[in-house]
């Protein structure tokens, strides 16, 4: 059976289903319902088959290799699916499945406004592109897949093209993703130059022929290139703009899965293709991870736009993933394979967890937006009464991302902490401080993430409605709730089954060149007790779950016991004789103001107060007071704008050679020819 | 032996004719003379292509050489002559460098042909080193014609002269391709001549002259 599932036919059937989804959706573009049905149906089918295929590949003892020759000599459509690739195929298919179920209902509010066929076409193409990225084994083929993924997602970002801000966000994404691609191309061409092959497997074999300096250059280029796609600070500027612009189920895929393709390629190159990395590679990643995590959550706290808030949390979580990845590289460089494996497992587990809870949160936000028609948190409030199920699912996602037990986020962050603590315990002075800084950053990040989601959930679902749209909001349709409900259950299950999952992660690592056989620092006992480094720390997911259930029951029983003789009297809330209104509630700005002021050195907030008096001569009774509280984008201000000005100045000078004179152009060609001949001979 | 000497003399005479016509294209101011010089140059190139037929007859080579003769020495000059007559384009527009300076640059380019860079290229076929040197000189001198002239007719003839230089170089360096491919190239050239003729007419209609420096006004 496993052989049959892992056959070339099944793999191509997965891709073909997405292809069919794309084409059929476009074919029925004149009928919104049919286009939605075709696009969603094939996407769901493709995702289901993808999950089956990925699970079979995860349990396979060997890597799977498919080869298709092309008519171009350097290009071949080679696929290599080892356990690492299978793990990413699983994540892509899993999230695509729930996003597609959700999308089938969500897309309906675009009927008659935008072309549903185009959305279905690019959506299916986007998923197929991601699958190709993680399975391709040829550099040129990989770059084609990377471009398919990037371009399809670009068209999805600008799907709601009537909104000017979406076009701007799309342009920023397009520019940034191609700057990243330029770095990636350079890194991969360097690999080709020294290994003499475009095939990743052949490059892996010829790694000895790559000099250390070239390896360092490849690391820097690949880290910038793939880091741009992953949204690492300071290459992140496209992410908070592009992710919110796309339809919510696409935002979920982009934030939950697409950015992880950058992380996948980092693991592939730094651990598998170029093993025995120097220790500074890991140090750089650790510092970048710690910075991204902390700054990501700080920026999320300042946001009023629910989707931008979630997008900033993606930057934060990529930072957490990088903390695991960086630690693993440092440990691997110092030949501490067991700890390296522990750290990389933490990273892989967080990749899976973040994919699940972040897509859940984006889908939840999408449901709210589709009913309130705004992304501004300030205009929500009290939605728990109108959308109770959406509120429950969003709460599950919020708890998971805030690393609260027994949800999945807690266990991967706990494991990341263990890796960092092992680093502090076992490293010498300089590296120890790097690990101390990283652990400190993660502590702060976790706390701030919790604060941020108290704000996000509280202001969205609790208290009183702050706009008319909220008062008329209704619960989302079945397909939307089904998509969210399954992801919410998964958040809980992945936490409970974390012990079982670690065995799979160990298997994945055995296929990576940097690891091979190693003594696992992470041991899971038969009663699901997860133990790190021979008892350095241990945890049991079922025990935590049981304690929480018991605590809940106990609390419920105590409340019942205390209040059994008390009468419940329901009345209006007393508010000094005035009517209760939304203005009496704490705002998003008010909630985060204190934290922003603590970090004002980093966030650089600006406050502008305005006051208007009823009588210019008597200043006791103001007519109105205004307060504008803004956070300046320091990256744009201090990095991108100066860089843009510099490039603009150079371009203005270079433009002069474009005189419009044909003779001058021929002279350039002539000079170039002579120079080329001069250097060639 | 005598045959080989005759052959070598013929080839050298033909390539010299090609080179001299390229040099004279720089000196002439009349468009009709430029077309005539191109006709002579093309005739010399066609003769070079016909020459192997006397040793080994091949229908494909005959067809290819015949087509070259027809397109380069008949169709193209005819097109340009009609164009010159229709628009009364007797004299070519001015040059960037005056005649003495132009001749100095041509001399420098010819000298460059014998430099270390180009002597390597000319050594592709050591038996034809001098001929290949002349062919490279034709390429460089034609390139310079395109750079130095402001008139569209001169520039287009410069491009065609450059193409003649490349054909001559390919012929003597052994880089000849299959007759089918060469016929394709000739067809390409034919289409290009038509487009160039239309292009010249359009420039004339738009700007009232054939000075290509006027094209910069097309910039936004």
């Amino acid at each position: 059976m496993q052989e049959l599932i892992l056959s070339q036919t099944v793999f191509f059937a997965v891709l073909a289903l997405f292809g069919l989804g794309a084409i059929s959706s476009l074919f029925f573009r004149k009928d919104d319902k049919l286009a939605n049905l075709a696009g969603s149906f094939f996407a769901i089918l493709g995702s289901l088959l993808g999950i089956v295929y990925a699970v079979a590949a995860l349990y396979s003892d060997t890597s799977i290799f498919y080869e298709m020759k092309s008519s171009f000599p350097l290009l071949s459509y080679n696929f290599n699916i080892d356990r690492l690739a299978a793990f990413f195929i699983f994540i892509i298919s899993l999230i695509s499945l729930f996003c597609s179920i959700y999308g089938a209902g969500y897309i309906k509010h675009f009927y008659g406004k935008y072309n549903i066929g185009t959305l279905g076409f690019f959506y299916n193409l986007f998923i197929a592109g991601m699958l190709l990225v993680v399975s391709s084994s040829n550099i040129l083929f990989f770059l084609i897949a990377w471009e398919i993924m990037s371009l399809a997602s670009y068209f999805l970002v600008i799907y709601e093209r009537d909104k000017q801000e979406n076009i701007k966000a799309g342009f920023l994404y397009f520019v940034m993703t191609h700057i990243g691609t330029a770095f990636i191309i350079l890194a991969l061409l360097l690999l080709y130059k020294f290994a003499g092959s475009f095939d990743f497997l052949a490059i892996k074999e010829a790694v000895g022929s790559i000099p250390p300096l070239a390896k360092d250059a490849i690391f820097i280029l690949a880290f910038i290139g793939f880091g741009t796609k992953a949204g690492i600070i300071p290459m992140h500027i496209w992410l908070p703009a592009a992710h919110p612009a796309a339809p919510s189920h696409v935002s979920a895929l982009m934030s939950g899965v697409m950015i992880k393709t950058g992380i996948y390629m980092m693991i592939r190159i730094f651990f598998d293709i170029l093993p025995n990395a120097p220790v500074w590679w890991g140090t750089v990643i650790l510092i970048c991870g710690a910075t991204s995590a902390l700054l990501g959550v700080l920026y999320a706290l300042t946001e009023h736009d629910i989707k931008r808030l979630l997008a900033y949390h993606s930057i934060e979580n990529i930072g957490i993933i990088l903390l695991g990845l960086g630690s693993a590289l440092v440990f691997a460089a110092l030949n501490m394979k067991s700890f390296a494996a522990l750290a990389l497992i933490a990273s892989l587990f967080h990749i899976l967890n973040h994919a699940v809870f972040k897509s859940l949160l984006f889908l939840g936000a999408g449901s709210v937006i589709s009913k309130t028609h705004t992304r501004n948190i300030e205009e929500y409030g009290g939605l728990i009464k109108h959308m109770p199920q959406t509120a429950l699912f969003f709460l599950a996602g919020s708890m998971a991302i805030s690393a609260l037990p027994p949800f999945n986020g807690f266990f991967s962050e706990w494991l990341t902490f263990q890796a960092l603590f092992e680093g502090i315990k076992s490293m010498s002075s300089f590296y120890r401080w790097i690990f101390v800084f990283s652990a400190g950053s993660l502590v702060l990040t976790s706390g701030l993430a919790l604060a941020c989601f108290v704000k996000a959930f509280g202001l969205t679902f609790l208290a009183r409605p702050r706009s008319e749209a909220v008062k008329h909001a209704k619960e989302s349709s079945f397909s939307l709730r089904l998509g969210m409900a399954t992801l919410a259950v998964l958040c809980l299950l992945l936490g409970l089954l974390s012990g079982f999952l670690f065995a799979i992660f160990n298997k994945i690592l055995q296929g990576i060149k940097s690891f091979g056989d190693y003594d696992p620092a992470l041991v899971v006992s038969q009663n699901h007790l997860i133990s790190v480094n021979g008892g350095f720390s241990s945890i049991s997911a079922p025990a935590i779950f049981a304690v929480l259930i018991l605590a809940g029951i106990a609390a419920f029983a105590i409340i019942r016991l205390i209040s059994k003789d008390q009468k419940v009297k329901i009345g209006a809330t007393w508010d000094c004789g005035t009517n209760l209104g939304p203005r009496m509630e704490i705002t998003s700005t008010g909630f985060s103001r204190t934290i922003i002021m603590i970090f004002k050195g980093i966030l650089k907030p600006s406050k502008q107060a305005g006051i208007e008096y009823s009588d210019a001569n008597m200043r006791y009774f103001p007519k109105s007071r205004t307060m504008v509280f803004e956070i300046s984008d320091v990256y744009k201000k201090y990095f991108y704008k100066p860089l843009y000005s510099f490039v603009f100045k150079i371009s203005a000078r270079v433009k002069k050679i474009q005189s419009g004179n044909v003779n001058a152009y021929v002279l350039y060609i002539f000079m170039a020819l002579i120079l080329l001949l001069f250097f060639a001979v | 032996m005598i045959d080989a000497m005759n052959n070598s003399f013929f080839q050298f005479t033909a390539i010299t004719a090609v080179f001299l016509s390229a040099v004279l294209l720089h000196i002439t101011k009349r468009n009709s003379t430029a077309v005539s010089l191109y006709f002579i140059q093309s005739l010399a190139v066609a003769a070079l292509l016909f020459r192997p037929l006397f040793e080994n007859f091949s229908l494909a080579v005959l067809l290819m050489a015949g087509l070259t003769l027809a397109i380069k020495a008949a169709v193209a000059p005819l097109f340009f002559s009609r164009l010159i007559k229709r628009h009364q384009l007797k004299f070519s527009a001015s040059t960037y460098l005056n005649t003495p300076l132009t001749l100095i640059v041509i001399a420098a380019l010819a000298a460059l042909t014998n430099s270390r860079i180009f002597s390597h290229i000319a050594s592709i076929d050591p038996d034809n080193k001098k001929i290949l040197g002349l062919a490279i000189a034709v390429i460089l001198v034609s390139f310079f014609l395109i750079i130095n002239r402001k008139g569209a007719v001169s520039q287009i003839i410069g491009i065609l002269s450059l193409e003649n230089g490349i054909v001559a170089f390919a012929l003597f360096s052994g880089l000849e391709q299959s007759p089918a491919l060469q016929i394709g190239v000739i067809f390409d050239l034919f289409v290009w001549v038509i487009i160039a003729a239309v292009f010249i007419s359009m420039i004339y209609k738009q700007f009232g002259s054939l000075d290509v420096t006027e094209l910069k006004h097309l910039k936004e």
Side-chain angles (χ1 to χ4, degrees), chain A residues 160-180:
Chain A
E160 288 179 68
R161 62 185 180 281
D162 291 349
K163 294 177 183 167
Q164 195 56 37
E165 72 264 24
N166 289 1
I167 303 295
K168 273 187 183 173
F171 180 71
L172 182 64
Y173 172 49
F174 187 84
V175 171
M176 286 304 290
T177 201
H178 283 93
I179 290 174

Side-chain angles (χ1 to χ4, degrees), chain A residues 655 658-667 669-670 673-674 677-678 681, chain B residues 96 109 112 117-118 120-121 140 143 146-147 149 155 212-213 215-216 219:
Chain A
K655 199 181 157 190
Q658 191 134 5
S659 58
N661 189 337
V662 181
N663 302 75
Y665 297 149
V666 181
L667 182 66
I669 298 170
F670 185 66
L673 179 77
I674 298 290
L677 284 170
F678 181 77
V681 176
Chain B
Y96 282 98
L109 289 173
L112 188 71
I117 306 169
F118 289 102
H120 271 90
I121 300 168
L140 297 184
F143 235 127
I146 306 164
I147 297 165
R149 289 281 173 134
Q155 283 201 337
V212 289
T213 54
L215 289 175
K216 68 181 169 201
K219 269 204 330 176

Side-chain angles (χ1 to χ4, degrees), chain A residues 272-345:
Chain A
D272 201 30
I273 294 175
L274 302 174
N276 309 320
V279 72
W280 71 267
W281 290 16
T283 317
V284 168
I285 294 181
L286 261 178
I287 293 169
C288 286
T291 316
S292 288
L294 189 57
L295 294 181
V297 73
L298 277 175
Y299 285 112
L301 261 165
T302 66
E303 275 302 329
H304 304 175
D305 180 324
I306 192 162
K307 283 176 90 176
R308 277 179 71 90
L309 180 147
L310 294 177
Y312 272 118
H313 273 286
S314 294
I315 297 170
E316 173 225 328
N317 280 281
I318 284 291
I320 296 173
I321 291 165
L322 287 184
L323 286 178
L325 203 87
S327 312
L329 266 178
V330 171
F331 287 131
L334 300 173
N335 208 22
M336 298 157 87
K337 276 189 183 180
S338 304
F339 294 154
L342 168 74
L344 195 58
I345 286 175

